[in-house]
């Protein structure tokens, strides 16, 4: 069904494009627009499957070097690290400006599924880059300048309304000239953009203050009032010297009501973010951007970001328990996994009952997308046990095990033993989220690791939360960040501090229990850490006292997080 919806979206977009072009009669001077190379149908799925959609909008005149283009790559890294959905870009030049070069730029900085529009015939053109389909685009004449105009695009964002994005680059000459430009643009907007659609004007205004007359003019169509985006230190100015508000993202009242905090990593910016990598901390949250990127030669502006949570298409939500779902016989105090599937649910509460009436909460809020939760069963036996998973935002969306299951008293005893089995110090590429530490329980019983920590030579990097356990022969893999976890990795979690911080020149990884006693430690020399993308693994694999060797000496794989060195399951 979703594939059909995606096809319908493409047909509708084509029809709407020609209808808009026919009836608006816009005075466009031509331009370059390129559809995404891949992912159009998946974009249709994304649009049709979301009830409320977070859309990140960015204004960016962040070219660097001496050519007013994006060839040096500083701006590309900032785009990659900020992950915007819609960008109003200025000085939109790259290499030879051929269609192939521009497509390469968009693919690299944003992704192959993004579309773009770039005005034609301009020395320093404006443009719009979008995760969502651009269904119409063009340029309106800027009466005060000859080397660029106002670029616009009508974008089919999720939900019943379209978003019109206008990319501007006003003159530096004086405030009066900028106000003349603003008046011309406002008249175009009032004549051509439906009042029922959303509107954003973004770009380099070159304004020395927020009291310039152009803001009063722009206020006829967009909100220019405070509060304003700010950087990590609270500075709302946006030029390279950080003493003037040059750059802006201004939206109409219809869209502004849905503005929400910009959340990056563990940081939240209530009014939006001025992206200055020189002051942003931790800079790893903007990876692969580097701290010095915003200070690159020729970069005169900071990027501006605002996030909006807009109503999307109305869809059904559901959650379904898949395990235990009735009939199982599990042993008291053993480590098991509760599993579920969900649709259009963000977080879930997970509970269990032993008698069918009294419920005990295992997790008050767990990401629904995780699909599972480790559970150390209670020591009490039961023949009427069930589990329940519920949407934390809507208690009516819930599911319980289809039938009861048993928790029985088992024998055998045994002990758990946790070892460090594999460590990737030097991640592939430059995304430190991909660093990981693999821990294996080589003992004969499940092991609770609640409150246990993983450290490097500098500090504690991860603390296992309450309820975490690992079964006999089971595995846990701590990654530097969630973005670095390969799909399907068994036992994978993200470091609670947001990073592992492992050093490519060598490091020491230490695991301590909740009492602070060292459980295992591994010191990895530069020899084990110096090969990009190749981990250090015990040899033989899972040998509790074995030395570490490069993973490539054990198998053809460079790494095997959550699995044996051969790639087989534990």
């Amino acid at each position: 069904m979703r594939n059909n919806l995606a096809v319908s979206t493409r047909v509708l977009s084509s029809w709407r494009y020609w209808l808009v072009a026919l009836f608006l009669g816009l005075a466009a001077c031509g331009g370059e627009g390129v559809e995404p190379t891949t992912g159009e149908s998946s974009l249709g799925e994304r649009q049709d499957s979301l009830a409320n959609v977070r859309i990140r909008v960015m204004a960016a005149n962040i070219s660097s070097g001496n050519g007013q283009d994006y060839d040096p790559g500083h701006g590309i890294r900032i785009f990659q690290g900020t992950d915007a959905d819609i960008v109003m870009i200025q000085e939109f030049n790259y290499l030879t400006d051929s269609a192939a070069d521009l497509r390469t730029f968009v693919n690299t900085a944003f992704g192959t599924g993004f579309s773009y529009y770039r005005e034609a015939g301009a020395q320093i053109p404006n443009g719009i880059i979008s995760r969502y389909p651009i269904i119409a685009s063009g340029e309106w004449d800027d009466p005060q300048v000859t080397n660029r105009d106002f670029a616009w695009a009508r974008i089919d964002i999720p939900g019943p309304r379209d978003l019109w994005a206008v990319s501007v680059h006003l003159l530096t000459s004086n405030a009066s000239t900028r106000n003349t430009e603003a008046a011309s643009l406002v008249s175009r907007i009032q004549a051509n953009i439906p009042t029922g659609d959303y509107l954003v004007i973004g770009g380099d205004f070159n304004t020395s203050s927020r009291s310039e007359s152009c803001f009063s003019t722009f206020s006829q169509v967009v909100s220019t009032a405070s509060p304003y985006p700010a950087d990590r230190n609270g500075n709302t100015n946006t030029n390279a010297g950080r003493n003037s508000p040059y750059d802006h993202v201004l939206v109409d009242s219809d869209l502004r009501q849905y503005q929400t905090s910009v959340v990056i990593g563990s940081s939240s910016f209530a009014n939006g973010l001025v992206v200055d990598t020189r002051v942003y901390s931790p800079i790893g949250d903007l990876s692969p951007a580097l701290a010095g990127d915003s200070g690159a030669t020729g970069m005169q502006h900071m990027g501006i970001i605002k996030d909006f949570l807009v109503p999307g298409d109305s869809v059904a939500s559901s959650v379904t328990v898949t395990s235990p779902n009735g009939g199982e016989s599990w042993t008291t105090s053993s480590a098991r996994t509760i599993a579920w599937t969900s649709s259009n649910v963000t977080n879930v509460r997970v509970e269990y009952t032993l008698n069918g009436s009294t419920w005990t909460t295992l997790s008050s809020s767990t990401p629904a997308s995780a699909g599972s939760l480790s559970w150390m069963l209670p020591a009490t036996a039961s023949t009427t046990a069930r589990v329940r998973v519920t949407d934390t935002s809507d208690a009516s969306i819930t599911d319980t095990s289809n039938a009861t299951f048993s928790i029985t008293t088992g024998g055998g005893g045994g002990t758990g033993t946790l070892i460090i089995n594999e460590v990737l110090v030097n991640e592939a590429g430059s995304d430190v989220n991909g660093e990981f530490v693999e821990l294996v329980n080589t003992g004969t019983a499940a092991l609770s690791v609640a409150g246990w920590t993983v450290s490097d030579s500098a500090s504690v990097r991860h603390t296992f939360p309450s309820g975490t356990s690992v079964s006999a022969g089971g595995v846990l893999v701590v990654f530097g960040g969630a973005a670095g976890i390969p799909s399907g990795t068994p036992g994978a979690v993200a470091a609670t501090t947001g990073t592992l911080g492992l050093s490519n020149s060598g490091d020491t990884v230490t695991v301590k229990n909740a009492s602070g006693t060292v459980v295992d430690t591994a010191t990895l020399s530069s020899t084990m850490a110096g090969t990009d993308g190749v981990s250090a693994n015990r040899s033989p694999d899972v040998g509790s006292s074995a030395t570490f060797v490069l993973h490539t000496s054990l198998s053809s794989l460079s790494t095997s997080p959550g699995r044996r060195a051969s790639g087989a399951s534990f």
Side-chain angles (χ1 to χ4, degrees):
M1 181 64 178
R2 285 182 174 178
N3 287 338
N4 290 339
L5 286 172
V7 171
S8 297
T9 299
R10 291 195 295 272
V11 173
L12 178 60
S13 296
S14 176
W15 174 81
R16 292 171 72 184
Y17 178 91
W18 294 112
L19 187 64
V20 169
L22 177 63
F23 284 96
L24 289 181
L26 299 174
C29 300
E32 300 161 346
V34 177
E35 292 301 311
T37 55
T38 62
E40 190 172 18
S41 60
S42 63
L43 184 59
E45 287 192 26
R46 170 175 173 167
Q47 175 171 339
D48 293 326
S49 65
L50 296 173
N52 290 293
V53 185
R54 180 181 292 270
I55 295 179
R56 176 163 294 172
V57 180
M58 183 177 191
N61 186 5
I62 54 175
S63 64
S64 57
N66 300 317
Q68 294 178 305
D69 64 25
Y70 289 85
D71 183 23
H74 310 97
I76 290 176
R77 287 194 293 267
I78 294 173
F79 285 134
Q80 292 171 331
T82 50
D83 193 26
D85 298 299
I86 296 170
V87 177
M88 290 148 289
I89 185 172
Q90 292 77 54
E91 301 183 4
F92 191 178
N93 291 315
Y94 185 68
L95 298 179
T96 67
D97 292 333
S98 67
D101 284 342
L102 294 172
R103 185 68 250 175
T104 296
F105 165 74
V106 174
N107 289 351
T108 302
F110 302 96
T112 56
F114 279 69
S115 301
Y116 74 88
Y117 170 75
R118 175 182 183 268
E119 62 168 316
Q123 176 204 353
I124 47 174
N126 296 314
I128 295 96
I129 300 169
S130 173
R131 185 187 303 275
Y132 303 101
I134 295 175
I135 58 176
S137 57
E139 59 189 271
W140 293 316
D141 182 58
D142 183 337
Q144 298 297 311
V145 64
T146 60
N147 65 351
R148 73 261 190 182
D149 289 309
F150 305 123
W152 60 268
R154 187 174 189 175
I155 301 169
D156 184 19
I157 64 171
R161 299 185 179 190
D162 292 334
L163 171 64
W164 292 69
V166 184
S167 179
V168 305
H169 189 173
L170 304 185
L171 274 173
T172 60
S173 55
N174 56 67
S176 176
T177 297
R178 287 188 286 273
N179 190 44
T180 300
E181 292 176 286
S184 176
L185 179 55
V186 166
S187 67
R188 292 283 195 170
I189 289 171
Q190 292 173 330
N192 295 302
I193 296 182
T195 57
D197 284 348
Y198 300 125
L199 168 66
V200 56
I201 304 172
D204 173 8
F205 289 21
N206 276 310
T207 43
S208 59
S209 74
R210 287 191 168 88
S211 61
E212 277 198 17
S213 55
C214 70
F215 290 107
S216 177
T217 300
F218 278 130
S219 68
Q220 298 175 60
V221 292
V222 290
S223 174
T224 60
S226 63
Y228 308 116
D231 67 13
R232 167 64 75 187
N233 296 334
N235 187 346
T236 61
N237 291 316
T238 70
N239 64 329
R242 306 306 312 284
N243 54 13
S244 294
Y246 281 7
D247 306 87
H248 307 270
V249 172
L250 304 178
V251 302
D252 64 0
S253 58
D254 291 342
L255 185 55
R256 180 151 185 173
Q257 66 179 315
Y258 298 119
Q259 187 172 347
T260 187
S261 298
V262 171
V263 178
I264 297 177
S266 60
S267 301
S268 181
F269 304 89
N271 305 318
L273 175 64
V274 176
V275 185
D276 187 343
T277 61
R278 297 169 295 184
V279 301
Y280 194 94
S281 176
I283 190 60
D285 285 352
L286 295 180
S287 177
L290 305 177
D293 282 345
S294 292
T297 300
M299 188 173 292
Q300 301 174 353
H301 303 263
M302 306 296 107
I304 310 298
I305 289 174
K306 289 183 180 180
D307 278 13
F308 303 89
L309 195 61
V310 301
D313 301 307
S314 179
V315 293
S317 300
S318 66
V319 62
T320 303
V321 174
T322 58
S323 179
N325 207 28
E328 296 87 351
S329 180
W330 289 353
T331 305
T332 56
S333 303
S334 64
R336 295 288 181 170
T337 299
I338 296 171
W340 63 86
T341 59
S342 63
S343 176
N344 303 310
V345 175
T346 303
N347 295 298
V348 295
R349 181 174 66 256
V350 183
E351 306 163 284
Y352 75 91
T353 181
L354 300 180
N355 58 19
S357 59
T358 302
W359 292 88
T360 300
T361 299
L362 292 172
S363 173
S364 60
S365 183
T366 290
S369 59
S372 64
L373 180 72
S374 297
W375 180 25
M376 181 67 73
L377 269 67
T380 304
S382 171
T383 58
T384 57
R386 293 178 188 255
V387 299
R388 182 169 66 190
V389 180
T390 305
D391 183 351
T392 57
S393 63
D394 186 346
S396 68
I397 302 172
T398 186
D399 190 47
T400 305
S401 303
N402 287 347
T404 60
F405 63 95
S406 299
I407 301 177
T408 61
T409 302
T415 58
T417 303
L418 199 70
I419 68 166
I420 301 168
N421 188 58
E422 182 182 359
V423 181
L424 178 59
V425 177
N426 190 346
E427 73 288 346
S430 59
D431 185 0
V432 295
N433 290 313
E435 297 177 347
F436 68 79
V437 177
E438 179 188 80
L439 309 174
V440 178
N441 181 1
T442 61
T444 57
L447 184 65
S448 172
V449 294
W452 290 32
T453 61
V454 178
S455 307
D456 74 340
S457 57
S459 63
V460 172
R461 302 296 187 176
H462 177 73
T463 301
F464 288 103
S466 174
T468 305
S469 63
V470 56
S471 60
V475 62
L476 292 170
V477 190
V478 182
F479 280 83
I485 301 177
S487 176
T489 302
V493 296
T496 52
T497 62
T499 184
L500 285 176
L502 302 178
S503 172
N504 293 355
S505 60
D507 213 331
T508 297
V509 178
T510 302
V511 177
K512 295 182 180 180
N513 64 21
S515 300
T517 303
V518 173
V519 174
D520 196 18
T521 186
T523 297
L524 305 169
S525 67
S526 59
T527 302
M528 294 294 104
T531 304
D532 194 48
V534 177
S535 66
N537 201 97
R538 288 193 185 270
S539 178
D541 198 22
V542 202
S544 58
S545 59
T547 58
F548 283 88
V549 299
L550 289 177
H551 197 287
T552 48
S553 68
L554 298 176
S555 77
S556 60
L557 302 174
S558 299
T559 63
S560 59
R563 294 178 173 82
R564 293 185 177 275
S566 64
S569 300
F570 280 107

